[in-house]
Amino acid sequence: MTRSLLIISGSSRGIGKAVAELFTENGWSIWGIARSDAGCAYERHFTFDLGCPDIGELVAELKQALEGQQWSRIALVHNAFSYYKDSIDAPDLAAFNVAANVALKSPMAINAAVKPYMNSGSSIIYIGSTLAHKAVAGCAGYVTLKHAVAGLAKATCQDLAKSGIHSCCVHPGFTRTEMLSSHISDEQAITDNLCIERLLAPSEVAEMVWFCQQHPMVNGAGIDVNLGQIEK
């Protein structure tokens, strides 16, 4: 019997929860990383705030949990992110530091911890954004970090060349999540600028993540999942 493991950050809600549910339906074991387990019945849950500057405790817990385990493949999905608004002329540097810990420093440390336990056929998947390759006003730090996540995904591909582990970055557009709902007041203004006039469901993004872990042909790719945004 093969044993497949999903390790996913931001697993308690939104896209992360949808990804965990889809992998569960397909027989995978789920290890979630989030500030709260939110009642999710995963095999293991690591309660941790990835915005902390030092994630040594989490890294140690992950290594201890993986030691002696035999997994046919591991999918490591970096989904957690910290959204905030600022601008070039009024940057929120404190929020940027926290968000950088979540978006970049934590994934890099987790990659180093988990990679020795990943067999050929495993994958590292990043959740980016359509704002990883374009920009809008009013969220300078967020845009900058999403661009950096796309770069980290490409660096991952290069550093893992010949290992049998593939990596990519999935770039969702506007998705119906709690985080989005807390930051928008006019959904119609968003959907009017989409070729297919609705928000994405988290389950749709999860389906792309599922596809990506199955297919090494996406190695190094950035994949837009946004229903087609109308450019102006």
Side-chain angles (χ1 to χ4, degrees):
M1 179 179 178
T2 59
R3 301 174 69 223
S4 300
L5 172 66
L6 168 69
I7 303 176
I8 180 167
S9 66
S11 57
S12 63
R13 61 179 183 169
I15 291 171
K17 186 174 182 180
V19 170
E21 289 173 347
L22 179 57
F23 277 63
T24 298
E25 290 170 7
N26 284 276
W28 286 54
S29 295
I30 313 297
W31 291 5
I33 304 169
R35 288 175 294 184
S36 167
D37 63 9
C40 301
Y42 303 145
E43 180 175 307
R44 292 190 72 121
H45 180 81
F46 300 86
T47 303
F48 197 85
D49 183 353
L50 295 176
C52 294
D54 182 3
I55 68 163
E57 179 182 342
L58 173 63
V59 166
E61 287 185 26
L62 281 169
K63 287 182 175 179
Q64 183 177 24
L66 287 164
E67 195 64 40
Q69 298 274 352
Q70 294 294 325
W71 302 100
S72 58
R73 57 184 168 173
I74 296 174
L76 177 55
V77 178
H78 297 296
N79 166 71
F81 212 86
S82 178
Y83 179 81
Y84 69 98
K85 295 182 178 181
D86 70 347
S87 63
I88 289 300
D89 56 350
D92 187 338
L93 297 181
F96 183 87
N97 284 335
V98 172
N101 289 336
V102 177
L104 301 172
K105 295 179 182 178
S106 293
M108 293 175 78
I110 292 170
N111 287 346
V114 176
K115 192 268 179 182
Y117 303 94
M118 302 177 82
N119 294 326
S120 179
S122 294
S123 55
I124 299 176
I125 301 171
Y126 299 83
I127 304 300
S129 168
T130 52
L131 293 181
H133 44 70
K134 60 185 292 183
V136 296
C139 51
Y142 181 86
V143 168
T144 300
L145 288 171
K146 284 298 188 182
H147 275 68
V149 168
L152 179 56
K154 291 183 179 296
T156 302
C157 169
Q158 296 300 311
D159 283 343
L160 296 183
K162 311 297 185 182
S163 69
I165 302 168
H166 66 277
S167 178
C168 67
C169 194
V170 175
H171 297 300
F174 292 103
T175 307
R176 192 178 296 283
T177 63
E178 293 176 29
M179 186 175 76
L180 179 66
S181 298
S182 67
H183 290 284
I184 65 169
S185 56
D186 187 356
E187 181 177 319
Q188 187 67 44
I190 292 174
T191 57
D192 282 348
N193 289 311
L194 298 175
C195 295
I196 298 176
E197 298 176 280
R198 63 174 177 82
L199 300 180
L200 283 165
S203 60
E204 292 178 295
V205 183
E207 288 170 6
M208 180 55 70
V209 174
W210 176 254
F211 176 88
C212 288
Q213 67 80 21
Q214 291 180 297
H215 296 286
M217 66 181 177
V218 301
N219 197 23
I223 303 169
D224 283 346
V225 184
N226 62 21
L227 298 173
Q229 294 186 354
I230 297 172
E231 302 295 342
K232 296 183 178 180

